[in-house]
Amino acid sequence: MVGSIWIYKVKQAADGSVEKYKARFVAQGFSQIEGIDYEETFAPVARYSSIQTILALSAQMGWHIHQMNAKTTFLNGVIEEEVYIE
């Protein structure tokens, strides 16, 4: 079973007034057990130097670059096993 937590944040405008309220639901992946589900963690984060290298190679080789929004990657993915969240 994976623990979870709600995170609440108040975004403020430059003048200090409230711009919007944000909330997100986060599953606590650190509760995984090595040898059972330890290798299941994935974080879609790219290093800036990696992005620069790919852009330089694409310019040099004449490749076309396409941008994709990966914010909802996990929301639209197919899960083949049951996941229990506490």
Side-chain angles (χ1 to χ4, degrees):
M1 184 171 296
V2 178
S4 61
I5 189 169
W6 278 97
I7 298 177
Y8 301 101
K9 189 170 188 174
V10 178
K11 298 293 262 185
Q12 296 181 341
D15 63 358
S17 63
V18 174
E19 184 175 341
K20 61 183 166 180
Y21 297 96
K22 295 181 80 175
R24 63 184 172 153
F25 183 72
V26 180
Q28 298 171 330
F30 57 81
S31 62
Q32 294 170 318
I33 301 168
E34 187 169 0
I36 297 175
D37 56 3
Y38 192 73
E39 300 296 325
E40 300 295 321
T41 301
F42 175 74
V45 177
R47 294 180 60 172
Y48 187 69
S49 60
S50 299
I51 295 171
Q52 283 181 319
T53 304
I54 290 171
L55 290 174
L57 278 172
S58 66
Q60 196 173 45
M61 306 292 263
W63 296 340
H64 296 281
I65 300 290
H66 298 278
Q67 180 180 353
M68 292 177 25
N69 181 1
K71 275 187 166 182
T72 58
T73 302
F74 300 112
L75 297 176
N76 298 320
V78 177
I79 298 177
E80 296 179 4
E81 63 272 344
E82 291 183 14
V83 177
Y84 296 97
I85 294 181
E86 181 177 26

